Amino acid sequence: AQSVTQLDSQVPVFEEAPVELRCNYSSSVSVYLFWYVQYPNQGLQLLLKYLSGSTLVKGINGFEAEFNKSQTSFHLRKPSVHISDTAEYFCAVRGTGNTPLVFGKGTRLSVIA
Amino acid sequence: DTEVTQTPKHLVMGMTNKKSLKCEQHMGHRAMYWYKQKAKKPPELMFVYSYEKLSINESVPSRFSPECPNSSLLNLHLHALQPEDSALYLCASSQTGGSGELFFGEGSRLTVL
């Protein structure tokens, strides 16, 4: 079985500052990793995904994440945030054996003007 | 624009009512999902359909009854709900192989009085 730990429940950051949202996972098999974003009163939108290959993954809205197998991490970064990035961010993992997607508890990113 | 469409967006019902939530996708995906999301929490998996057959039921109470009439449609029938069932109900779809990336709808906000 897989599990996901998002180390920060809330991250406040000033506009145009860099941000990192941390995610660690646990799995006994190879995994696929995802970051989803949820804006208020909306569904979840895929930001980026790691399937295989290059460990640095670029996504939408200027976000990127790095897969680190030795540290079982998949941290999300953005070099300069905007007010519009204020949202809930979920890290998720899925085993390669078509097991259900497992979500972390989420990190609330609040961008301050 | 989301490619998974959920109706209605908002639903208010009494504990004795019968209502249904509907979900439609036209991406050719053969796996469809219902999730329940409470405020400030990650989505919780309820049901998974694969090739129109129920493959996962996460011990959901029988007052929730899923139905998959065809490969594009997914319904969730609601009967005799409790106030604690008030939540955002999210539908998602995915391919059955590969990474199984989930595509989410905007959700149906349910309030049980």
Side-chain angles (χ1 to χ4, degrees):
Chain A
Q2 292 77 44
S3 66
V4 179
T5 302
Q6 291 185 243
L7 298 159
D8 305 294
S9 59
Q10 297 185 67
V11 174
V13 62
F14 286 104
E15 193 174 19
E16 298 183 7
V19 70
E20 178 180 81
L21 306 184
R22 297 180 293 168
C23 172
N24 286 89
Y25 70 92
S26 172
S27 177
S28 57
V29 299
S30 296
V31 296
Y32 301 125
L33 292 156
F34 306 85
W35 275 99
Y36 283 88
V37 61
Q38 186 175 32
Y39 300 103
N41 299 313
Q42 293 189 24
L44 277 71
Q45 180 182 9
L46 183 70
L47 271 179
L48 49 77
K49 60 187 176 185
Y50 172 78
L51 306 183
S52 65
S54 173
T55 57
L56 183 62
V57 179
K58 294 190 183 299
I60 63 170
N61 302 341
F63 284 93
E64 64 181 31
E66 185 154 19
F67 171 60
N68 188 318
K69 188 173 182 179
S70 63
Q71 297 187 9
T72 60
S73 68
F74 191 54
H75 301 332
L76 182 70
R77 302 186 184 99
K78 185 170 182 177
S80 175
V81 295
H82 302 288
I83 295 288
S84 59
D85 293 321
T86 294
E88 192 80 23
Y89 291 80
F90 292 99
C91 182
V93 63
R94 184 171 191 160
T96 54
N98 203 29
T99 54
L101 193 65
V102 176
F103 286 95
K105 292 189 175 182
T107 297
R108 172 74 179 171
L109 175 63
S110 297
V111 180
I112 305 159
Chain B
D1 288 341
T2 181
E3 296 182 77
V4 178
T5 304
Q6 290 188 241
T7 55
K9 292 193 184 307
H10 300 276
L11 178 63
V12 179
M13 59 186 292
M15 290 190 284
T16 58
N17 292 157
K18 286 185 181 180
K19 297 286 185 183
S20 297
L21 305 181
K22 298 185 183 301
C23 175
E24 188 170 7
Q25 58 89 14
H26 293 289
M27 293 179 282
H29 292 164
R30 301 306 297 272
M32 295 187 77
Y33 309 75
W34 280 116
Y35 283 85
K36 174 183 178 180
Q37 187 181 27
K38 302 284 274 185
K40 301 187 189 300
K41 299 289 187 184
E44 297 174 23
L45 183 63
M46 300 175 72
F47 303 104
V48 180
Y49 274 83
S50 181
Y51 295 95
E52 296 91 68
K53 287 185 171 29
L54 184 65
S55 59
I56 295 178
N57 176 341
E58 293 285 359
S59 303
V60 179
S62 59
R63 58 185 183 269
F64 295 91
S65 176
E67 179 196 20
C68 190
N70 59 54
S71 60
S72 299
L73 293 174
L74 185 67
N75 299 321
L76 186 63
H77 302 299
L78 314 170
H79 174 54
L81 295 192
Q82 304 296 310
E84 60 264 28
D85 296 322
S86 298
L88 182 68
Y89 288 84
L90 293 163
C91 174
S93 70
S94 75
Q95 297 178 349
T96 52
S99 69
E101 170 190 338
L102 296 187
F103 292 78
F104 284 87
E106 296 284 317
S108 293
R109 174 76 61 188
L110 174 66
T111 302
V112 182
L113 301 176

